[in-house]
Amino acid sequence: MATNLTVRNVFKRRWYNGKVKEKFKIKNRKSLEIVGILSIPENPKGLAFTLHGLGAFKEHSNTLVMAETFFSESYTVVNFDTTNSIGESEGKYEDATAQNHYEDLVDVITWAKKQTWYQEPFLLSGESLGGYASIRYAEESPLEVKGVFTLAPFIAGELSLKNKEISHPEHIKAWKETGWFEEKGTSKPGVIKRLPWSHMEEKLKHDIRPDASKLIMPVCLVVGENDHPETQKILYELIPNKKELNIIADASHVLRTPEHLDELKNILKKWLEKMK
C-alpha cells in the first residue's frame, strides 16, 4: 500500500456560503507530489473522487463536468492530477503508465481516509485511464465503493491496441518503428505529448474484465458513438447488475462540444438521482 502520504501544503482555502474549496498537495508512494482540489459543500451527502485520463488534467472539460456536477449535487469532491500527466503534479508525461494512474488513485484515497471530511462508501468517476483506475479500485475494494461513473474507460490493453490498429494503423506502425508517439496537446495549446512504445507494452498487462463480476455496486458507462462503443458493451455484459450504458451520439473519445458536455452532465445527474 501507499506510504509517505503526508499533506505538504494545503493552501488557497476559500469559504463561500458555508462551502469550501482548497488546493492540496501530498506525496505519493514514489515521493512525487500530487496536486488536487478538494471541494466541500455546505451539507455533504457523500464523497466522490474524479480522475482525468491519459494526457489530460484535473481541469480538463470532461473531468471538470463530472467534478462540478458532483459538487452541485452536494458531494464532497476530490479532483486531482496524477503524476506523470500534463497537470500540476510532478513527474514526466513520458513515464505515464496505467499502473501509475491506478496507484495515484489508491494513494489519494488512502490520504483521504485520514481526513475529517472522509465518508464511506464513496463514489468513483473517471475518463479513459481514469475510468480504468476507478473500476479497478471498485473491483479490489467493492465494499468501500457506493458507485462508479465512467466516460470511455480503458478496459484492456489488448482491446485498446486492437482499436487503435483499426482506427489509426499508420500511427501504430510509426510508433513501433520509431519507439515514440508524439502529438500536440489540444486542451493545453503548446504542450507536446510524447510516449514511448513501452507505454503500450505496459498497457497490455492490464485488463479489468476478469474481475468485472466483483462490481456489485451501481456502474454507469458512458461512451461516444464514434469511440468503439462495442468495446464498452463487452464490459457492460460482464457486470452482474445495477448497470447502464449510455452512448452519446456523434461523440468521439473526448467530448468537446457544449452539447456533448451537457449530455454527460445530465446523464450523471440522472444517475445520482437513482443513487438516493
Side-chain angles (χ1 to χ4, degrees):
M1 293 296 293
T3 58
N4 195 29
L5 296 178
T6 55
V7 181
R8 293 193 63 242
N9 185 20
V10 176
F11 62 99
K12 292 187 178 178
R13 173 168 288 193
R14 291 193 294 122
W15 290 90
Y16 54 100
N17 297 327
K19 305 172 185 178
V20 62
K21 285 197 175 186
E22 64 185 23
K23 182 177 285 188
F24 65 86
K25 294 183 179 182
I26 66 173
K27 289 285 190 177
N28 72 359
R29 67 189 69 191
K30 297 175 182 176
S31 295
L32 291 175
E33 190 169 76
I34 293 176
V35 180
I37 299 293
L38 169 66
S39 304
I40 305 176
E42 187 171 5
N43 296 300
K45 66 172 65 171
L47 171 63
F49 295 86
T50 62
L51 186 54
H52 62 78
L54 175 69
F57 52 105
K58 62 184 179 299
E59 292 87 5
H60 186 259
S61 57
N62 294 193
T63 303
L64 205 55
V65 163
M66 291 187 281
E68 291 178 345
T69 302
F70 281 123
F71 186 65
S72 70
E73 295 297 313
S74 297
Y75 284 86
T76 294
V77 183
V78 179
N79 181 20
F80 66 98
D81 292 322
T82 65
T83 55
N84 305 320
S85 66
I86 62 172
E88 295 182 83
S89 297
E90 292 183 332
K92 300 177 181 178
Y93 179 69
E94 62 192 51
D95 294 331
T97 64
Q99 185 65 21
N100 166 78
H101 232 75
Y102 171 71
E103 289 179 354
D104 279 355
L105 175 61
V106 174
D107 290 356
V108 169
I109 292 174
T110 300
W111 163 73
K113 289 179 178 180
K114 301 175 184 177
Q115 311 308 310
T116 56
W117 42 261
Y118 178 75
Q119 291 180 263
E120 193 176 298
F122 49 77
L123 297 174
L124 291 171
S125 68
E127 59 169 314
S128 193
L129 211 53
Y132 159 80
S134 298
I135 291 173
R136 180 176 166 185
Y137 190 97
E139 290 177 341
E140 297 188 3
S141 303
L143 298 182
E144 295 180 12
V145 181
K146 183 179 180 180
V148 184
F149 183 92
T150 65
L151 171 63
F154 164 75
I155 296 173
E158 170 198 353
L159 298 177
S160 178
L161 179 57
K162 179 181 177 181
N163 288 339
K164 284 180 170 58
E165 288 176 333
I166 294 173
S167 59
H168 298 93
E170 69 286 355
H171 290 172
I172 295 299
K173 183 175 182 294
W175 195 358
K176 287 180 179 180
E177 291 177 350
T178 65
W180 290 90
F181 176 70
E182 184 175 296
E183 62 179 340
K184 294 181 180 180
T186 55
S187 53
K188 278 193 174 183
V191 173
I192 302 297
K193 299 183 289 187
R194 300 180 74 246
L195 286 174
W197 178 249
S198 59
H199 171 84
M200 178 57 73
E201 293 177 327
E202 192 272 342
K203 269 187 171 180
L204 291 172
K205 301 175 183 177
H206 297 268
D207 191 338
I208 55 177
R209 291 174 295 179
D211 289 326
S213 62
K214 297 179 181 178
L215 297 171
I216 57 176
M217 70 295 295
V219 177
C220 181
L221 306 175
V222 184
V223 65
E225 181 184 22
N226 303 321
D227 187 32
H228 305 284
E230 67 280 359
T231 301
Q232 300 301 319
K233 290 177 182 178
I234 292 174
L235 177 61
Y236 175 82
E237 293 298 332
L238 295 172
I239 299 172
N241 51 35
K242 302 177 183 178
K243 59 187 178 181
E244 61 180 82
L245 173 62
N246 295 273
I247 301 175
I248 299 180
D250 299 319
S252 57
H253 187 66
V254 177
L255 307 183
R256 302 189 185 281
T257 70
E259 293 77 16
H260 289 157
L261 292 171
D262 282 345
E263 187 166 353
L264 176 66
K265 177 181 179 179
N266 291 333
I267 292 171
L268 177 52
K269 286 175 70 71
K270 290 178 182 178
W271 183 71
L272 289 174
E273 282 291 322
K274 300 173 187 176
M275 300 292 290
K276 294 180 180 179

